[in-house]
Structures are given as C-alpha cells and as structure tokens.
C-alpha cells in the first residue's frame, strides 16, 4: 500500500518553481502520513504546494476535488461574487458526524449569542455538546499571496493526514471554516502582472520587474478598495457577503492571514497596544493561548517570529478586529512576503514562496489546534461575552441611542440599515414618542444598548473612543523627537459623524410602538402628485437619493435645471440646489420615469401645476442653471493614489450611478479634453507637476480657462496651489513655530557654504531643543481624526449641504484661506476650541488647522476649480460629504461657461 509521509509532502512544498532551485528543509510535520484517496496538489493542478502561485479558478478546482474525495467531511458554499464576476467561497471541514449536523451547530451558536433568551443552564448544555467554530481567512489583499496556497494545504492536511492526533481532535472538537481567497480580483491581477515579468529563472532581486508591482498592483479589489478597512462600512460585495455568512456561523476564533514587508519575519498575536477599550478582558487573555501554540511550533521548525508590535487592536474596521465585537477572539497573522516565487532580504537571506506557504500552514494548524484544546473555555467565554454585554448595557449611563427623523432621512435610514446588517437589534417607531426630554416622530430608530451587540454599538456610535493615555503620552514623546507615531490607522471613525446623521444618547430605554428595523439601506421616496396636469416636477436637494435621481435623469437625456437659492412654492420651502423638471422640456414619459426613480432610489418628487413662487427666484431667473450633458474624467495611473482613484470612482459610479472615464495621467499632458466637462485629480503618491510637465500643465490650464471643471482631492491640491501652476490662490503652509519668550536662543548661522560657523553656548535643555528645530518644516503628520467644518450656504458648491460637516483629516497638509477677490472658502474648518470632534489631534495641528479651508472654489476663465484639501471620498465612508462632492461635479459643470 502506498504511504506518503508528511516529509515527502513538505519536500514538495519546498520546491519553489520549475524555474528555480529546489530548497530542502530539515524538519517536517511529525507523525502523520496521508490517505492516497485524497488528491494532492500535483494530482489536480500539476504542481506541488509553493511551486506556483495558485490562481482563483485553480484554487476553486482543488477545493472541488477535495469535496469530491471526502463529501462527508467537506462542504463548499458561495457567499458573494466579486465585481469582476469571480466566485467567493468558504469551505467547511469537520468530522462526518459534525458535518451531518451543521444546521444544529449553527443554531447552537445563535442561542449562545442570544444570551438574553438563553439561560446559563441551557448554555452549559449547548457547550457540552457543541463543536467550536474556527474561521481561517486568507488573502484579503490580493498581492499577499501565500495564504491561499496555505489554505489549500490546510484543507488537504485536515482531510488526508493519518496518525496526527491533533487532526483527529480538531475534526472531533471543532468545525474549521476556510475562506481561501477574500480578494480574487486583486489576486488574479497580481498573478497576471507577476507572470508577465517572469523570465527564465525566478528573480529574487528587489530591483527586478518581478518585485516591482506596476500601478495599481494587486492589493486592492476591482474598485481599488483596501478590503481590510471595509468591515463596518460594508461598501463592497466581498465584505457584505463575508459579514453575512460569518454571523451565521459565529466562530469563537477568527484569523485574518496577511503578508507584510518582505524584509521581516512572521507576526502573530498578541497584538500591539493600544487595544480598543470595548474589547473584553478574556478576549485579550485568550490571544496568548494562540500565540504560545504558534510559538511552540515555530520554535520546533526554527522559524523566526515577533508579537506585540506594529499591529494594534484599536481600529474596529479590520478583519482581525471586527469579529471581536460579536465575541470572537480575532487575530491577524503576517508573513514576510516574497511578492513572487523568491525574494532576497536586505541581509542576503533568500526566502522562497514555499517557505511562506509553509509558515502560514503551520499557524493555521496551530490555530485550529488551540481551539480544539480549549473548546469549552472558548465557547463559555463566547456566551459570557454576550451576558456581560447585556449587563453593561443595563448598567451604563447611556441606555439607548435614538436616530430621529431628520433632514437627511436617507442618511438615517442607511445608518440604521448598516447596523442591522452587523447584528444590531433596532426598533423603528410606528408612532411618535417622547424620550429624554425630546419628542420623536414616527420613523425614528431606537437602539437599546442592553443587547449582545452592545460593544459594537458603542464602538461605532460613540462620538469618540478613548485611546490609552499612557500610549499617547509615549507618542507625544516620540513626536517631540521627530519619530513616527506608532498608530497603525485612524483614531476616529464615529458613524453618525462620518455620515453627518443626528444620533441622540438617552439615559433610558423609551417605550415605543414599533417594528424591527430591517437591513435595507434605501427606503422608497415619496411621489407627491398634484390635481390636474403637472407643469413642473421638483426634487428637493440635499440628500444622496436626489443626486442619484439627477444622475439617472442626465443619463436618460432628461432636461433638468437647478436653483442657486432657496424658494417657496405653495407654502413649501425648497432648498438651494433643488432640481426642476419642466414638463414642456421633456418627453411624455417624464412623470412615469420620476415616479419609478423615486420608488427605487429613495428621492422625493413633488409634482406642481403652476410655477408661481412666493419667495426666492422664479424658475427662469438667472439664479437657475440648466444642466448640460456632464462627462466626467479622472486621472488614472501613476502618480495617483490607487486607493483614492478607486474609492472616488466607486463613489461616483456605484453610490451615485454615474459613469467615469479614467484617463492615464500621461495622456492628460497632450489630450484634447474638450469632450469632458469635469476632470478629477485624486490624491497622489508623487507629483502631478513632474508627471505632466510644462506642456501638460498648460494643457490643463487652457482646458479650465475654456470652461472645464477641475477638481483636486486631498494632497492633489498641492498641485493646484503650486506657484508654478497657480490654479488656486491658496498656498501650502509650513508648520507654525512657537517660541518660548523665556528662552534666549543664540543666532544661528545656516550658511551651507561655510567651512565652520561661530561657536555658541547652550545653557539648558530648552535652548538645545530650540536649536535643533528646523527653521521651516511641514506640520506634524496626523494619523486620522474627525474635525468639524462649517459651510458657506451662499455659494453654489454649498447648495443643500449641511451647515456643519465632519471631515477626516490625515497627513500634514494645511492650506491658506483664499481671499474674496480670488475665490471662496466654501467649507472651512472650525475654530481651535470647537475643531476636534473625535480622535487624537496634536496640539500644534489643532491650532494651525483652525479656520483653514477644506473646500475652495475659484473661477478661472470660463471654468471652475475646486480643491478639497482632505480626501472627501476616502474609503467611501464619509457619506456626510457626498452631496458636496457631487455638487462639485454636477453643479460645477452647470456653473462653467464653455464655448458651445
């Protein structure tokens, strides 16, 4: 009988490629051989694990082969489809007995989750008989490649290994769910780019084309989203499907397997500080259980690793953090990436792809082993997490959140729908009610905190989540020495602020007649008919559904006007920006189209039988503009930021249903742009000026002068403000220098040509610190905070926009306000004392950012220039800024005056 030892399999695992030398390894997984009835990589795909980088279709094919070989121990389910039509699957593996009762196991986890209706006695009975669920996710970033092949190897080992006691325990005590490829579009893009550069031999040189990913790289999905930042905003189909299915299984342990910089080693939990304060203590303690198991195996194999550095557990939007808020022990694993088949590290050590696959496989098995060993503890902790969440919700000062009906009801509906999709129980009021001194109308939402999702509610709804004070003191010390901040991501993410939706904290749970809110993000709009024949249809401006209706109308060739000023018609006040559809200007299908769009898109439409207004401009006034056919282009490719380009295109195309034409940046230098009314410059990782050159800059300036609308996002505003470009009159600021009047600093001689300079006496530490400061430097780098901003409602860019907005500020850029003779600071940041809304902001930045512009508008010739000094479309989660962005596009084009 043929017996294949694990040593043979790992020998195959460490064949890097047919084009590269074989790399032997001295140690293998001990004590198991493999069942020949379970197919190997070679038998299905024609190569050994780690010999090639497996494509999406081939990975699916291998898992299907495993299912065919062991149908009683494997199931495969689809949970989503990518933008490019690729199937996303999860694979369930356990013993035949456990697989036969999958529905019962899922039901048991749901009962443990529903601790308010499951007694401790009932929970103990479930735990005694309940396998624990382990969830292993791989490849959320498409160019982090080893995880998918490790997922395949993990599945093979669980199904084929014989004589491995750990596997028997894992299959008996647990259910292992494998999500082998979270980002198939990005992965296949990376593989295509890599194999295009591959030659006779795999090249480990970091200078080689193999190691130099061309724009956009493989990290992101089709719309260039970092899917590891999308977990609570749920903008992408991959994330929505994943969040839905994870909540069906409710794993007690969740691993997100990543790759990191190629010169590193391997990282696993425990995480670095700071921790989110809403995590439970036993979750943090359990991280050590997994870390020690992994460390033991890495010691045995002689693999280097590190823990408790770099990767913190503060931001809730990662795959390694979001599952924590339903009670899972969530972790990230990070393998130094070869970004191909091999890579030479800075010290000359050559790492082969097969080694990275091996390492990810080892930690995958270690994770499943830890869950099987501690099944009862982890299930008990999971139940206790829900019990303590309910108890905290009852004990805390805030007992409920109320989202009232409001001007932006579409935003309120979307916020409630997003929370419901993440397991939050919400009641939608069917009658008016009173609570905490306020009166609330039907349609308001009530969120009681005494529920299992309490910690998620606090994390996403609180205005601010406090960050560890000692940690921030250390960051202040580092900042004083010009060292980078050890904050991995943003420090603020409050959903009500980002969506600019009112949400009231209440100290009691109101009695309300209502019904459970559903997960629907868009409610049907109201179509208000009129007696007799309608001569005009009005669509009030200021909510996202109205923008979507406009985009559909323009695509269908409808004739639309918009007003710059508010007006009153038949006793109803309509805001600036309101859309005006004249029946006489459009076809006979106008009313039917508007009625259909109102129902689907959520916009309100009012049909009126006369055009007489009692206040404000008439519909033929000079304050009423007509929309033309708006064609939107965007700079694409180097030097644009992949994330900004993709996120902005997504917002316009998928949130507002309007097409965008990407144009490679090099082409902008010489292209005839007259076909386009709007051009968007996303944030940049380089210099637009360098890329375009003098001729390209003149081409853009001529196009704007002739009637184009140029919109810059975030640091692309530096290009417009460059004195050599001068498309806006604002300028980038240096950091402010605060001098201590009590410190006398000797005069400095900074003559770079001098061989020596005059001597000086440094009397104390204060003088020393003053002397080592550069004379001019940029403001400190802000890791990400939400700040308040104020809108000028009299400008066309501010039409329908809320008077108070919240902006995510990151980086160092601060711009001077423009003067009234040059343009308008349509949105400016609030004063220093009111500026910070959420997160941690350096004191000097707080002072310097106050009253500086966020949105600048200037007329240039016949065209318009709009600069957003921070990126308003970042991660597609600043919904409160979307009307402002779409005003820049649609209303900007209406206010340009191109020669026709």
């Amino acid at each position: 009988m043929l017996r294949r030892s694990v040593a043979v399999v790992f020998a195959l695992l460490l064949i890097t490629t047919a084009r590269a030398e074989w790399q032997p390894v001295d140690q293998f997984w001990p004590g198991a051989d493999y069942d020949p009835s379970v197919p190997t990589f070679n038998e299905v795909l024609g190569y050994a694990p780690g010999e090639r980088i497996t494509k999406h279709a081939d990975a699916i094919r291998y898992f299907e082969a495993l299912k065919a070989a062991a149908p009683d121990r494997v199931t495969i389910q689809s949970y989503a489809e990518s933008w490019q039509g690729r199937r996303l699957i999860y694979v369930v593996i356990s013993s035949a007995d456990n697989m036969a009762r999958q529905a019962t196991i899922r039901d048991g986890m749901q009962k443990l989750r529903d601790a308010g209706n499951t007694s401790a006695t009932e929970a103990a009975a479930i735990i005694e008989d309940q396998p624990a669920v382990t969830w292993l996710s791989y490849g959320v970033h498409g160019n982090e490649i080893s995880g998918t092949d490790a997922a395949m190897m993990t599945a093979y080992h669980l199904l084929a290994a014989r004589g491995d006691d750990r596997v028997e325990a894992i299959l008996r005590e647990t259910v292992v769910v494998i999500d082998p490829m979270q980002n198939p579009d990005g992965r296949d893009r990376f593989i295509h780019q890599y194999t295009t550069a591959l030659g006779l031999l795999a090249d480990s040189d970091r200078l080689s084309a193999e190691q130099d990913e061309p724009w956009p790289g493989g990290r992101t999905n089709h719309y260039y989203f970092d899917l590891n930042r999308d977990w609570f905003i749920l903008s992408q189909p991959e994330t929505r499907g994943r969040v839905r299915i994870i909540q069906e299984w409710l794993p007690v342990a969740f691993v997100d397997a990543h790759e990191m910089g190629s010169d590193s080693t391997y990282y696993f939990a425990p995480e670095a500080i700071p921790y989110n304060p809403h995590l439970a203590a036993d979750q943090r303690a359990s991280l050590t259980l997994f870390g020690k198991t992994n460390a033991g195996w890495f010691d045995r194999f002689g693999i280097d690793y590190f823990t408790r550095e770099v990767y913190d557990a503060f931001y809730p939007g990662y795959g390694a953090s979001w599952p924590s808020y339903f009670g899972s022990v969530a972790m990230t694993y990070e393998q130094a990436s070869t970004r191909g088949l091999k890579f030479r590290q800075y010290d000359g050590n050559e790492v082969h792809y097969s080694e990275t696959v091996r390492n990810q496989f080892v930690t995958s098995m270690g994770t499943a082993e830890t869950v099987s060993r501690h099944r009862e503890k982890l299930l008990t902790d999971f139940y206790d997490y829900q019990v303590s969440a309910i108890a905290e919700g009852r004990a805390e000062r805030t007992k409920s959140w109320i989202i009232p009906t409001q001007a932006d009801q579409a935003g309120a509906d979307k916020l409630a729908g997003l929370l419901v999709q993440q397991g939050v129980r919400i009641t939608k009021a069917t009658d008016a009610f009173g609570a905490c001194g306020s009166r609330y109308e039907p349609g308001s939402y009530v969120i009681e905190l005494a529920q299992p999702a309490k910690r998620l509610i606090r994390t996403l709804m609180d205005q601010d989540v406090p960050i560890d004070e000692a940690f921030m003191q250390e960051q202040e010390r580092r900042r004083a020495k010009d060292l980078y901040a050890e904050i991995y991501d943003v420090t603020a993410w409050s959903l009500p602020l980002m969506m600019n939706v009112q949400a009231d904290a209440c100290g009691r749970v109101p009695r309300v007649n209502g019904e459970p809110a559903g997960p629907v993000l868009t409610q049907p709009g109201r179509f208000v008919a009129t007696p007799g024949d309608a001569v005009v249809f009005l669509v009030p401006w200021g909510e996202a559904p109205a923008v979507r209706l406009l985009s559909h109308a323009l695509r269908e060739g409808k004739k639309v006007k918009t007003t710059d000023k508010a007006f009153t018609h038949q006793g109803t006040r309509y805001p600036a920006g309101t859309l005006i559809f004249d029946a006489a200007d459009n076809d006979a299908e106008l009313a039917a189209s508007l009625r259909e769009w109102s129902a689907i898109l959520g916009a309100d439409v009012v049909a009126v039988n006369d055009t007489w207004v009692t206040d404000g401009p008439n519909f033929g006034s000079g304050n009423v503009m007509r929309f033309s056919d708006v064609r939107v282009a965007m700079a694409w490719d180097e030097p644009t930021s992949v994330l900004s380009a993709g996120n902005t295109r997504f917002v316009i195309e998928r949130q507002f249903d309007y097409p965008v034409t990407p144009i490679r940046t090099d082409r902008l230098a010489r292209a005839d742009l007259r076909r386009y009314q709007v051009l968007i410059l996303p944030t940049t990782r380089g210099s637009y000026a360098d890329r375009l050159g003098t001729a390209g800059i003149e081409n853009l300036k001529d196009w704007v002068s002739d009637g184009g609308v140029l919109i810059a996002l975030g640091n692309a505003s530096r290009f417009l403000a460059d004195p050599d470009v001068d498309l806006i009159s604002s300028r980038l600021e240096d950091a402010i220098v605060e001098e201590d009047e009590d410190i006398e600093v000797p005069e400095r001689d900074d003559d770079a040509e001098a061989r020596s300079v005059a001597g000086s006496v440094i009397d104390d530490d204060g003088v020393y610190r003053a002397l080592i400061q550069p004379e001019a430097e940029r403001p400190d780098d802000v890791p990400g905070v939400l700040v308040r901003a104020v809108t000028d409602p009299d400008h066309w860019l501010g039409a329908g926009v809320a008077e108070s907005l919240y902006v995510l500020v990151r980086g160092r850029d601060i711009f001077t306000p423009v003067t009234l003779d040059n343009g308008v600071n349509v949105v400016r940041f609030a004063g220093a004392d009111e500026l910070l809304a959420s997160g941690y902001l350096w004191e000097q930045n707080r002072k310097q950012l106050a009253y500086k512009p966020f949105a600048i508008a200037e007329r240039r010739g016949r065209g318009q220039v709009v600069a957003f000094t921070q990126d308003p479309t970042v991660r597609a989660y600043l919904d409160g800024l979307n009307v402002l962005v779409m005003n820049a596009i649609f209303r900007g084009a209406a206010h340009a005056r191109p020669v026709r």
Side-chain angles (χ1 to χ4, degrees):
M1 178 179 179
L2 175 64
R3 297 174 62 85
R4 287 173 290 180
S5 72
V6 69
V8 172
V9 170
F10 264 100
L12 292 173
L13 179 62
L14 293 165
I15 296 173
T16 309
T17 172
R19 299 183 180 88
E21 66 274 21
W22 174 57
Q23 294 293 309
V25 165
D26 295 331
Q27 298 185 54
F28 308 105
W29 208 272
D33 68 334
Y34 288 96
D35 183 347
S37 68
V38 179
T40 65
F41 273 58
N42 256 320
E43 289 167 340
V44 177
L45 303 178
Y47 55 88
E51 184 180 357
R52 299 180 191 172
I53 307 166
T54 302
K55 297 178 181 178
H56 168 262
D58 289 336
I60 298 287
R61 185 155 57 94
Y62 184 67
F63 282 112
E64 294 286 4
L66 293 179
K67 177 184 175 183
D72 60 333
R73 289 175 290 154
V74 186
T75 60
I76 300 174
Q77 298 291 333
S78 299
Y79 67 79
E81 185 177 279
S82 74
W83 288 112
Q84 295 178 7
R86 291 182 176 87
R87 177 187 174 201
L88 284 90
I89 65 166
Y90 68 97
V91 180
V92 183
I93 298 175
S94 192
S95 68
D97 288 344
N98 287 337
M99 294 298 288
R101 59 185 187 124
Q102 289 183 64
T104 302
I105 292 168
R106 289 196 299 270
D107 183 61
M109 292 306 301
Q110 295 298 329
K111 289 179 179 176
L112 294 180
R113 169 71 162 159
D114 189 17
N117 295 307
T118 302
S119 69
T121 301
E122 293 170 324
I126 293 170
I127 291 169
E128 183 177 359
D129 185 53
Q130 177 85 7
V133 180
T134 304
W135 194 289
L136 303 174
S137 280
Y138 307 86
V140 71
H141 298 137
N143 60 357
E144 298 178 2
I145 47 180
S146 57
T148 295
D149 288 281
M152 297 157 65
M153 187 64 200
T154 301
Y156 173 73
H157 188 78
L158 288 172
L159 295 170
R162 299 186 298 195
D164 186 338
D165 293 339
R166 296 173 321 120
V167 169
E168 293 179 9
I170 289 167
L171 297 179
R172 181 181 66 251
E173 301 293 330
T174 76
V175 174
V176 179
V177 181
I178 295 173
D179 183 351
M181 194 183 308
Q182 300 178 71
N183 182 6
D185 292 352
R187 183 180 181 87
D188 277 7
R189 184 192 316 128
F190 170 83
I191 293 173
H192 171 74
Q193 292 176 339
Y194 175 74
T195 54
T196 298
L198 198 62
L200 177 64
L201 296 175
D203 197 330
S204 62
D205 191 335
R206 66 182 69 216
L207 296 179
S208 70
E210 293 172 39
Q211 300 295 337
D212 186 10
E213 285 187 73
W215 196 98
R219 179 179 177 87
T220 54
N221 75 341
H222 173 75
Y223 271 104
Y224 301 167
F225 269 73
D226 183 338
L227 293 175
N228 198 39
R229 305 298 191 275
D230 192 50
W231 282 77
F232 64 73
I233 204 65
L234 302 180
S235 70
Q236 302 301 293
E238 300 94 332
T239 315
R240 289 194 296 272
R242 190 171 302 117
V243 164
R244 174 182 55 80
I245 201 66
I246 286 172
Q247 290 182 98
E248 291 182 14
W249 283 95
L250 295 173
V252 298
F254 183 99
V255 166
D256 203 14
H258 287 257
E259 289 184 344
M260 58 182 164
S262 301
D263 287 314
S264 191
T265 57
Y266 198 101
Y267 166 86
F268 47 74
E271 276 103 353
I273 58 172
Y275 283 82
N276 190 299
H278 295 299
L279 295 173
D282 55 19
Q283 289 176 299
R284 293 182 57 178
S286 291
L287 294 173
T288 302
L289 297 176
F290 293 91
K292 285 187 173 180
T293 301
N294 289 333
W297 285 110
F298 271 43
D299 287 346
R300 186 162 184 173
F301 284 111
I303 305 169
D304 289 334
Y305 67 91
F306 67 97
T307 65
R308 300 186 304 276
E309 295 180 52
V310 182
Y311 303 103
D312 64 52
F314 186 64
Y315 179 65
Y318 308 130
S321 56
W322 183 88
S324 301
Y325 300 97
F326 65 69
S328 181
V329 179
M331 298 162 280
T332 187
Y333 293 167
E334 299 273 353
Q335 163 66 49
S337 181
T338 57
R339 288 292 191 270
L341 294 175
K342 59 180 181 177
F343 181 82
R344 184 181 299 110
Q345 296 180 320
Y346 70 93
D347 59 0
N349 180 48
E350 197 162 78
V351 182
H352 290 250
Y353 180 54
S354 51
E355 296 174 65
T356 68
V357 174
R358 185 267 317 269
N359 295 348
Q360 299 275 35
F361 165 52
V362 170
T363 54
S364 297
M365 291 301 302
T367 302
E369 175 187 358
T370 303
V371 175
S372 70
R373 281 188 193 168
H374 302 281
R375 178 194 66 83
E376 186 173 350
K377 168 186 165 45
L378 292 170
L379 285 169
T380 301
D381 288 351
F382 181 87
Y383 175 72
D384 289 345
Y385 176 96
Q386 323 305 325
V387 172
S388 62
I390 295 170
E392 287 177 9
R394 290 184 178 133
E396 291 185 2
R397 178 177 300 178
T398 295
K399 300 292 193 297
S400 65
W401 280 96
I402 302 172
I403 305 174
T405 57
Q406 50 201 272
D408 185 4
Q409 186 59 31
D413 294 336
K414 181 176 179 179
L415 173 56
L418 274 177
L419 293 173
V420 171
Q421 288 183 11
Q422 296 174 71
V424 177
R425 298 171 184 170
I426 302 179
T427 298
K428 186 174 185 179
T430 52
D431 297 322
F433 65 95
C436 292
S438 297
R439 189 72 177 167
Y440 295 95
E441 297 302 316
S444 298
Y445 296 97
V446 178
I447 309 170
E448 181 178 355
L449 255 70
Q451 61 171 292
K454 176 260 174 184
R455 294 183 177 102
L456 178 68
I457 297 168
R458 287 290 309 276
T459 299
L460 297 184
M461 292 291 290
D462 280 11
Q463 179 168 320
D464 187 61
V465 175
I467 195 166
D468 182 76
E469 184 176 346
F471 173 79
M472 291 313 303
Q473 287 175 353
E474 170 62 11
Q475 303 318 302
E476 289 284 7
R477 185 192 71 81
R478 294 177 61 84
R479 185 175 68 89
K481 297 182 68 175
D482 222 11
L483 299 172
Y484 67 88
E486 298 171 316
I487 301 171
Y488 195 70
D489 207 273
V490 298
T491 64
W493 54 80
S494 169
L495 280 179
L497 296 187
M498 293 196 302
M499 300 177 75
N500 214 32
V501 168
Q502 180 184 344
D504 301 335
C506 184
R508 67 179 182 86
V509 180
R511 293 184 178 181
V512 56
N513 294 324
E515 57 190 12
V520 178
L521 303 184
T522 301
Q523 303 293 333
R526 296 177 302 123
F527 187 93
V528 182
T530 185
D533 293 332
V535 295
V536 168
F537 298 86
L538 304 175
V539 180
W541 193 246
E543 295 187 22
V547 183
R548 287 194 289 269
L549 186 144
L550 173 62
S551 70
H552 280 256
L554 293 177
R555 288 171 56 189
E556 293 293 326
K558 306 298 184 187
K559 304 298 183 183
V560 195
K561 295 185 292 191
T562 180
T563 174
D564 280 351
K565 293 185 177 182
F567 64 90
T568 302
H569 181 275
Q570 294 183 0
T572 299
R573 190 69 173 170
Y574 292 87
T578 292
L579 305 180
I580 302 165
F581 292 84
D582 290 325
D585 286 347
N586 287 281
D587 57 38
E589 302 301 317
L590 176 64
S593 296
L594 290 173
R595 186 184 294 274
E596 178 184 0
W597 293 334
S598 173
I600 296 173
L601 305 175
D604 292 339
V605 179
V606 181
V608 297
N609 56 16
D610 70 66
T611 62
W612 183 253
V613 300
T614 56
D615 180 61
N618 294 100
F619 301 158
S621 163
N623 288 299
V624 173
M625 309 292 170
R626 187 179 298 275
F627 289 107
S628 59
D629 183 18
V630 182
R631 298 186 189 90
V632 181
M634 177 186 294
W636 205 247
D637 213 325
E638 297 287 358
T640 63
S641 159
V642 170
L643 297 175
S644 179
N647 295 177
T648 303
R649 188 181 186 187
F650 168 82
V651 167
I652 299 169
E653 289 196 341
R654 298 296 177 172
Q655 292 191 339
F656 293 102
D657 305 330
Y658 207 75
V660 175
T661 300
I663 301 176
R664 301 202 186 277
T665 310
D666 288 342
R667 295 293 301 274
L668 296 176
R670 58 187 183 279
D672 182 352
L673 297 173
R674 285 176 296 179
R675 186 173 183 271
Y676 300 97
Q677 286 69 52
V678 177
L679 174 63
I680 300 171
L681 301 179
T683 65
T684 173
R685 298 180 65 86
S687 167
Y688 281 117
D690 290 347
R691 197 77 177 189
L692 293 171
T694 303
I697 293 170
E698 290 304 315
N699 192 35
L700 284 190
K701 294 176 77 169
D702 289 345
W703 172 77
V704 172
S705 182
D706 288 343
V709 179
L710 184 62
I711 302 171
L713 308 181
N715 66 9
S717 299
R718 300 176 194 171
F719 169 70
L720 304 187
D722 185 332
D724 292 334
V725 177
D726 198 32
L727 274 164
I728 58 172
S729 56
S730 177
R731 294 294 181 261
L732 194 63
E733 292 189 356
D734 288 329
I736 55 175
V737 178
E738 296 186 353
E739 297 182 357
D740 191 329
E741 295 181 359
D742 296 329
I743 296 176
E744 292 188 14
V745 182
E747 243 183 77
R748 302 197 316 187
D749 185 350
D750 290 332
D751 184 358
E753 301 298 322
R755 293 183 180 275
S756 63
V757 297
S760 65
V761 175
I762 301 176
D763 294 324
D764 59 32
D765 184 72
V767 174
Y768 167 72
R769 291 185 177 278
L771 281 170
I772 66 174
Q773 298 303 315
E775 290 213 348
E777 63 176 340
R778 300 292 309 286
D780 287 320
D781 192 18
V782 175
V785 298
L786 287 167
V787 303
R788 294 181 178 87
V790 180
T791 305
D792 179 350
D794 293 324
H795 192 272
W796 59 260
L797 182 58
V801 177
E803 291 185 10
S804 179
L805 299 174
Y806 296 92
V807 179
L808 184 70
V809 169
R810 299 188 299 172
R812 305 173 183 273
D813 286 2
I814 301 175
F815 288 81
T816 62
V818 299
T819 57
L820 291 175
D821 56 332
N822 285 311
V824 178
N825 306 292
V826 181
V827 183
R828 62 160 177 85
F829 296 119
D833 292 339
E834 298 82 32
L835 180 67
L836 181 62
S838 181
Y840 191 93
L841 180 62
W842 313 124
E843 180 65 10
Q844 286 88 340
N845 295 72
R846 182 181 70 86
K847 293 177 179 178
Q848 187 173 354
L849 195 62
Y851 294 103
K852 301 299 168 55
F854 164 60
I856 299 168
E858 295 193 21
R859 176 178 287 280
R860 292 286 166 148
R862 293 178 173 273
Q864 300 282 347
V865 178
V866 177
F868 293 99
T869 61
Q870 294 287 328
D871 189 348
T873 63
V874 58
R875 300 177 184 175
Y877 64 17
L878 297 177
D879 276 27
L881 302 179
N882 280 347
V883 172
L884 183 69
V885 173
M886 300 310 290
N887 274 354
I889 294 172
F890 289 131
R891 306 197 83 247
H895 278 266
R897 293 292 178 266
V899 177
R900 302 199 183 275

